[in-house]
Amino acid sequence: PGEGARGGRHGRRASTMAVNWLALLFIAQIVIFSTFMISFFTMESHRQAEQHEMQLELHRLRRDNLAKERKLMQLATRAEEGLESVGMASDYDVGAEEGEGDLDGSEGVAEAEASIPKGDGCARLVVEWWVYEACLGQHVRQYHEADDKGAFEEHVLGKADAEGTPGPDQVYGRGDACPGADSPRQVSVRLRCREGVTKLSFFRVSEPSACQYVAELEGPPALCPWNGERGSSPPASAGVPS
């Protein structure tokens, strides 16, 4: 009987240990499953949050693009209106100027569309996009006035030589660099004076070759002391090849 009792106790102990192991295994599986589910839902929530942020960013970019397109359309409309008004004013001014010539399209000569005086010894000329400015004894430049965003573009075509001798034909060198060329920009200034002219003004401007310009000006006899008491004829109306 004693051996039977001991055998029964061993059997119950083994059964209890088996149940305990099964319980531990079950608990471990529950923990693993719970950890997996928590990780899954955390990753899913992060993915959804990132997707929501991407949608917001995409919406913002689309809105900015629409605003930029509207702005560009407004600027294009203003530019067209400005070109039309400049064209009308240029036609009127050129028709009123003496020595008016025709454009030579085959040679690419830029005729004077408008000549605007700028103080003693300076004149300005509007030719399509550019405004040309010549100041005797100083410089010749071309520039485009600032737009709504404050953009301003300028190229110095040439600077007068401080030690040069004044005359009817001068070369202003030391201009801005010319893209794709070894030498800088340069302009030949041709000044003709005659009686009856009261202010310095452009006759025409041309570009015979890349970054090599010719500025033809006319002014009162006081700007041409080398002529003495004699006036000179205005520049010929023939175009300069470009």
Side-chain angles (χ1 to χ4, degrees), residues 1 23 31 35 42 49 70 84 157 159 163 173 188 210 228 234 236 238:
V31 171
T35 304
T42 301
R70 295 192 188 98
E84 291 177 357
L157 307 185
K159 301 175 184 177
E163 299 179 356
S188 297

Side-chain angles (χ1 to χ4, degrees), residues 34-128:
S34 300
T35 304
F36 171 80
M37 292 302 296
I38 292 173
S39 301
F40 174 80
F41 284 114
T42 301
M43 293 175 60
E44 181 66 17
S45 62
H46 287 169
R47 187 188 67 81
Q48 292 180 356
E50 291 177 355
Q51 185 177 7
H52 180 67
E53 291 177 358
M54 292 177 62
Q55 291 177 349
L56 291 178
E57 182 66 15
L58 181 61
H59 177 72
R60 185 185 66 80
L61 292 174
R62 288 176 177 174
R63 183 184 58 196
D64 293 343
N65 286 337
L66 288 174
K68 291 179 180 178
E69 290 177 359
R70 295 192 188 98
K71 183 64 175 179
L72 288 175
M73 292 178 63
Q74 293 175 357
L75 292 175
T77 302
R78 292 179 183 176
E80 292 177 357
E81 294 175 353
L83 288 175
E84 291 177 357
S85 62
V86 169
M88 294 176 62
S90 298
D91 292 340
Y92 176 82
D93 291 339
V94 171
E97 290 288 333
E98 295 182 2
E100 177 183 8
D102 296 329
L103 278 173
D104 188 348
S106 62
E107 297 179 340
V109 179
E111 294 288 354
E113 295 187 5
S115 188
I116 309 171
K118 187 183 180 183
D120 297 334
C122 291
R124 286 188 297 172
L125 171 71
V126 178
V127 180
E128 297 179 353

Side-chain angles (χ1 to χ4, degrees), residues 171-227:
V171 176
Y172 287 16
R174 299 177 295 120
D176 288 346
C178 179
D182 297 331
S183 58
R185 301 173 192 265
Q186 179 177 286
V187 56
S188 297
V189 179
R190 301 175 181 175
L191 175 62
R192 301 295 181 266
C193 299
R194 60 189 178 92
E195 297 292 341
V197 178
T198 59
K199 62 184 179 181
L200 179 69
S201 62
F202 268 97
F203 185 77
R204 76 178 65 191
V205 63
S206 59
E207 187 177 3
S209 59
C211 298
Q212 301 296 310
Y213 304 85
V214 176
E216 299 181 58
L217 308 169
E218 65 175 1
L223 295 179
C224 300
W226 52 86
N227 288 337

